[in-house]
Amino acid sequence: MKKIALYNRKGGVGKSTTTINLAHAYAREGLRVLVIDADDQASTSNGLGLTEDYPGKVLLDCLINEDDPYYAPIEQVIVNCEYETGTVHLVPTRRSASPTGLTSQMGYEFRLREELARVEELFDVCLIDCPGSTSALNPYARCALVAQDIIVMPVQMQKFSMDAVYTAPEELEEIRRYKEDIHIAAFVPTMVGTRSRGDLTTVEELVDLGREVGIPVLTTIPYMVKVQSLQRESRPVIDHKGPATDAYLKLAEEVLAL
């Protein structure tokens, strides 16, 4: 099972949307795909059809110590999200399930990696949606970054998102004590206005930076007006024909090849 973390400390850059659409792209290909919603905003869980008041077990329940009476193994937390084109398996989260209590638990940073080892043979690919508007100090982010095999960084073509690109290596240093080999494998430009000179110039800046540091820039994801209405209906962008669909399908191939 290849474990791919979608990471950027800046919120609103398209991590959840990218996670959801990659998951659907892989499910369409017949791959067994597991999604971990490690963002306490629960956008991916909501985008895959779970409501804010979802009453079942969530990610936090499989990260607490196994001797805790509320602990549930990851197999009992996974929800099957059925679509005509395939099944997406989800470990959901809920806004009310705050991960801050994990910090009092010795070795919590390794808990997601340990739980994923339980289902290693059941899935081909695991996508981990990391929290935004935080640093790697967030407990979910730490668990996700320790568990991952590959980090893919979605980047919106705006100043603050680009600032996060430059500070990411310093943030990831914080995790190196738990996982020595940690680095960004690729950048993904998201929500790019194909007619915006500013956006296209920033894409070029990202490509130049990637060339300098040896990090490839994958397929550009164009901005799509319809994305919000599709998300409200819990439908992926790739249900709608257009340039964004083609881009996500191509991106799925590129990410899997990393």
Side-chain angles (χ1 to χ4, degrees):
M1 176 172 67
K2 179 176 283 192
K3 298 176 284 293
I4 303 159
L6 284 299
Y7 177 76
N8 188 327
R9 70 171 174 82
K10 176 73 173 65
V13 300
K15 290 189 300 293
S16 298
T17 301
T18 303
T19 301
I20 291 168
N21 284 284
L22 288 180
H24 281 287
Y26 294 137
R28 283 187 175 196
E29 292 299 315
L31 295 178
R32 300 168 300 171
V33 57
L34 175 65
V35 172
I36 309 293
D37 189 355
D39 182 354
D40 35 12
Q41 293 299 304
S43 297
T44 292
S45 298
N46 299 155
L48 288 171
L50 274 65
T51 59
E52 293 284 356
D53 56 353
Y54 171 69
K57 292 288 187 178
V58 292
L59 175 63
L60 184 63
D61 296 307
C62 68
L63 298 184
I64 56 180
N65 283 324
E66 294 185 19
D67 58 0
D68 189 300
Y70 291 101
Y71 165 75
I74 194 169
E75 301 95 319
Q76 295 179 15
V77 179
I78 294 172
V79 177
N80 297 338
C81 304
E82 304 287 351
Y83 296 85
E84 289 183 9
T85 50
T87 302
V88 174
H89 306 274
L90 170 69
V91 174
T93 194
R94 186 170 47 233
R95 289 192 182 192
S96 60
S98 171
T100 54
L102 288 176
T103 57
S104 63
Q105 180 176 300
M106 184 71 71
Y108 80 87
E109 294 90 348
F110 301 96
R111 288 293 297 123
L112 181 56
R113 187 173 76 180
E114 293 164 354
E115 287 296 310
L116 288 176
R118 301 170 61 100
V119 294
E120 179 77 31
E121 302 302 320
L122 300 181
F123 300 99
D124 301 303
V125 59
C126 173
L127 298 162
I128 309 173
D129 182 18
C130 296
S133 302
T134 68
S135 72
L137 298 177
N138 176 283
Y140 279 161
R142 283 178 176 252
C143 290
L145 292 171
V146 171
Q148 56 77 30
D149 299 318
I150 293 170
I151 298 174
V152 173
M153 189 172 191
V155 185
Q156 188 180 12
M157 298 298 95
Q158 294 183 355
K159 181 185 183 304
F160 293 125
S161 185
M162 285 297 292
D163 288 348
V165 171
Y166 289 101
T167 59
E170 182 180 341
E171 290 177 4
L172 296 181
E173 276 299 317
E174 180 69 28
I175 304 299
R176 203 171 296 281
R177 71 178 75 174
Y178 309 108
K179 186 179 179 70
E180 185 174 345
D181 180 22
I182 186 167
H183 62 277
I184 297 167
F187 297 125
V188 179
T190 60
M191 295 181 275
V192 177
T194 54
R195 296 183 180 180
S196 166
R197 183 179 297 275
D199 280 11
L200 296 178
T201 299
T202 308
V203 171
E204 292 175 4
E205 178 187 343
L206 185 63
V207 170
D208 289 342
L209 172 63
R211 192 177 293 119
E212 279 182 34
V213 297
I215 299 175
V217 175
L218 304 184
T219 292
T220 293
I221 306 298
Y223 176 73
M224 180 180 173
V225 175
K226 196 174 175 63
V227 67
Q228 290 186 339
S229 61
L230 288 170
Q231 288 175 335
R232 283 194 294 271
E233 298 167 11
S234 299
R235 292 170 54 200
V237 170
I238 59 174
D239 267 3
H240 179 80
K241 291 183 179 180
T245 294
D246 296 337
Y248 276 120
L249 293 175
K250 183 178 179 182
L251 177 65
E253 295 179 5
E254 294 172 339
V255 169
L256 210 55
L258 290 172

